[in-house]
Amino acid sequence: MNPSIETSAQIANTRSRLTASLILMLPVLVLVVATVMYQTGLMNPGERNNQGNLLSPVLQLKDLLPQDYQRLQGHWQLILFDDGAADGRTHEWLYWTRQIHVALGKYMPRVQRLLVTTQVEPPARVNEIGGYQTLRVDQGQLDAFVHGQLQGDPVKSAYLMIADPLGNVMLYYTAEHNGKQVTSDLKKLLKLSTIG
């Protein structure tokens, strides 16, 4: 037998074994690397995806609006809270929520704008801008709903919140946020969600 043919057959056989070994070891290697990354936090992203503040645990819209909860289900809610002490921020957010709604484009029909106010008469700008459902609650109801959940003093600020179609209020925004941040978060949620 020709030694060169035998050598090339041995080389081919060795390559085949090496390739098979690598293929068999690859899943084990992936598991080891994943375990090391998980345990050490190596290469974990340090930034969060959302611009707003996450509520943990989430609030339930039915706790604040038990009578109106059923008719609000099925749509995402952009909820603006107004207690009349927001020093013009409510008027600014009324404008921004309309702009956010328009900026959603094809997702616009999936979202409703809701103004929850403690005032007997809602701000006049609500009628000028239009497109809001306005619901009145007692100051005590509002305080009980947001007690201990929000940064700052919720009684002195206008807050914007996002609720999913099941009534889970999951994100909120304060005066430090802007309309672009809210739009970015809401578009992500709508893109990923199949409900509402």
Side-chain angles (χ1 to χ4, degrees):
M1 183 173 219
N2 189 344
S4 65
I5 294 174
E6 188 175 315
T7 306
S8 62
Q10 288 174 342
I11 291 172
N13 193 16
T14 304
R15 283 185 183 165
S16 296
R17 286 183 184 166
L18 183 61
T19 304
S21 297
L22 287 174
I23 290 172
L24 292 174
M25 291 301 293
L26 189 60
V28 174
L29 181 64
V30 169
L31 285 173
V32 169
V33 170
T35 303
V36 169
M37 288 176 66
Y38 178 76
Q39 296 294 331
T40 64
L42 183 68
M43 296 177 62
N44 283 347
E47 297 180 9
R48 59 186 191 177
N49 283 333
N50 57 297
Q51 305 290 320
N53 300 309
L54 282 171
L55 286 167
S56 182
V58 297
L59 299 175
Q60 298 297 318
L61 204 52
K62 65 182 172 187
D63 294 341
L64 177 66
L65 306 166
Q67 296 86 8
D68 302 290
Y69 171 69
Q70 291 297 329
R71 70 182 171 95
L72 297 174
Q73 276 189 310
H75 284 85
W76 287 82
Q77 301 292 330
L78 203 51
I79 310 165
L80 179 61
F81 291 90
D82 169 46
D83 65 356
D87 303 325
R89 280 186 297 230
T90 301
H91 292 281
E92 185 179 327
W93 274 110
L94 284 168
Y95 169 77
W96 275 112
T97 51
R98 181 186 64 183
Q99 296 305 100
I100 292 164
H101 198 223
V102 170
L104 293 174
K106 67 179 181 179
Y107 299 120
M108 198 170 142
R110 296 174 62 190
V111 178
Q112 293 178 343
R113 290 176 285 155
L114 179 63
L115 175 68
V116 176
T117 183
T118 59
Q119 305 304 301
V120 176
E121 291 293 322
R125 190 137 193 214
V126 171
N127 296 328
E128 293 171 22
I129 294 175
Y132 286 91
Q133 292 187 53
T134 304
L135 299 173
R136 187 183 178 287
V137 296
D138 294 325
Q139 187 66 54
Q141 284 177 283
L142 182 59
D143 291 344
F145 183 65
V146 296
H147 179 68
Q149 290 291 325
L150 306 183
Q151 297 171 356
D153 185 356
V155 178
K156 303 293 182 211
S157 303
Y159 282 88
L160 185 67
M161 294 186 177
I162 294 177
D164 71 12
L166 303 175
N168 301 309
V169 183
M170 60 190 74
L171 285 168
Y172 76 94
Y173 304 85
T174 63
E176 291 83 41
H177 295 96
N178 60 48
K180 288 182 181 178
Q181 292 171 316
V182 180
T183 304
S184 171
D185 283 351
L186 195 49
K187 277 186 174 179
K188 284 178 195 169
L189 288 168
L190 291 165
K191 185 177 180 182
L192 295 172
S193 171
T194 56
I195 58 173

